[in-house]
Amino acid sequence: MLALNVPKLINYAFVVAFAILLPVWNLPHTIFLRYLCALVLLAIVIISKPKWAAFFKHHIWLCLLFVYIIAQLIFFSTDYGLAFRNFKSEWLKFILFAITGIGCGYVLSTKQIPRIHLYLGILFFIPLFIHLCVSLIKGVSLGHMPTNYWGINNTHGDLGYTSIHVAVFLSVYLFFQAKSPLAKILISCLLIASMVSLLIASSRGGILFFLASFILIVLIKILMSQNAQFSLKTMVISILGIVILIGSIVQIGTYLDPIRWRGPLSNMEIAFKGDALKINCEGIEVLQRTLEEDGVVITPQIQKTLTSINGFDGARILALRSVPTMLFNHPMGINQSRFAYDIALEEICGAKPKIELMNSHNGWADTALSIGIIGALLYFLVLCQLIYQGMLVIKHQNLVISSSGVALLALSLIWLLRCLVDSAQRDQMLEMQIFTLSVLSALIFFQQQRLTKQGLS
């Protein structure tokens, strides 16, 4: 019998589990596969014995967040059975994925993978590629390009969230590592394909933050460039190019789905009027009466806008305006629940609210309602520390470290901003977010340690 090469087998298992985990986060009906891969990675991480103490010594806010989550569960829960179930389904996974990500970063730091950002970008691109293939099949059957079509996904959010990672990793490789023209052309094609997928899915948030991620990487490249001198003419052309790019995409989106792209402004403007809590509890009729009392004539167009508020952007504004009162009532959170907003609103209304949202569509508000204002603040500080860590190494002489620094800086900042307009600090989005950031942070940290020992820092 042939003797098993255990280290080689472990390495193979790590690569396979890691490569499967990244795309399945944004593919439906893959929960079992996701957690199986995560379990394999966690086992390998434990065997690898990373220097946890050294890492957490330099990442104190993440360590404090872990401690706080457990303390909040023990000391500030009002229903321990429910709180513990919420902890297991959300925040325990957050802690475990962060630990697994740190360990994966350590394992990756022991290998020579100069194209790691290219590989990461391609893995996160897989859900978008599947969506494009399914959309093509759908388009052939319809005879035209489908609009607002999500393919096998249950929501366009899955495509939008993975596209952030695609934009960051592929742009980092494109602007900081790619050498050959062919590589640059192929990566540009992948970025364009990602944008096409988001347009078909009509994911406005996805498109906005995909562009923001790409532009942020470009700006970092410009600021880091020491040799190039950017004249006023070059700057004006660059700004015009960005404006034209964004304008063109908005026009295409409006053409494909005019209701979704043109409607939000008037919808949101009206939602800033009246008593938000009362409107949420009693219905849109309260807002209509407020407008009439202010002398506003309820035209058919305004009536249409009022009717369309529930379930759309206007409802999000009403939700966000209601959050301060909820936080005042529950500053330490509500049993670590992902449905804390819905619970707090029903408590205020005394019954089921007429305008129902399961969350506030703001990640920071939902996190504060789930684990308390302190918990949200600690996670904010974690992201700020990761941004700072990325900034410190973007000019490192090691290309992988410097490129990882750019990716860490960009991803941390984009997720910080992304959570202002959507509830992206929950479920698989939170897992993917903390795992990827932990991988990058640990990769940078342990590679720096290794180079320091070798006298190459």
Side-chain angles (χ1 to χ4, degrees), residues 285-321:
E285 295 80 9
V286 175
L287 178 56
Q288 182 172 334
R289 288 197 299 270
T290 300
L291 293 174
E292 289 172 341
E293 289 169 3
D294 291 342
V296 176
V297 178
I298 308 300
T299 63
Q301 180 59 43
I302 292 178
Q303 185 62 58
K304 184 178 179 182
T305 301
L306 286 168
T307 304
S308 67
I309 281 179
N310 194 9
F312 292 94
D313 299 276
R316 298 187 182 197
I317 298 298
L318 290 171
L320 194 58
R321 291 177 58 207

Side-chain angles (χ1 to χ4, degrees), residues 276-289:
L277 280 171
K278 194 171 183 180
I279 296 168
N280 272 313
C281 292
E282 300 178 22
I284 217 67
E285 295 80 9
V286 175
L287 178 56
Q288 182 172 334
R289 288 197 299 270

Side-chain angles (χ1 to χ4, degrees), residues 379-398:
Y379 191 45
F380 177 80
L381 292 172
V382 167
L383 293 183
C384 288
Q385 185 172 22
L386 293 177
I387 291 170
Y388 182 66
Q389 182 188 7
M391 291 176 62
L392 288 178
V393 299
I394 58 175
K395 289 193 176 182
H396 198 282
Q397 62 182 11
N398 182 285

Side-chain angles (χ1 to χ4, degrees), residues 55-75:
F55 181 85
F56 282 114
K57 184 179 178 181
H58 288 81
H59 292 78
I60 188 65
W61 293 117
L62 184 60
C63 187
L64 287 175
L65 177 58
F66 291 169
V67 172
Y68 169 81
I69 288 172
I70 295 170
Q72 196 269 352
L73 172 69
I74 296 171
F75 297 108

Side-chain angles (χ1 to χ4, degrees), residues 424-439:
Q425 290 176 352
R426 61 172 62 233
D427 303 319
Q428 78 273 17
M429 296 90 74
L430 182 62
E431 297 170 4
M432 176 179 67
Q433 186 181 144
I434 193 62
F435 177 85
T436 310
L437 294 174
S438 296
V439 168

Side-chain angles (χ1 to χ4, degrees), residues 3-16 40 43-45 47-48 107 110-111:
L4 287 175
N5 188 331
V6 176
K8 189 174 182 179
L9 188 62
I10 291 174
N11 183 63
Y12 180 76
F14 174 85
V15 172
V16 171
V40 170
I44 295 172
V45 161
I47 293 170
S48 301
V107 173
T110 64
K111 307 176 185 301

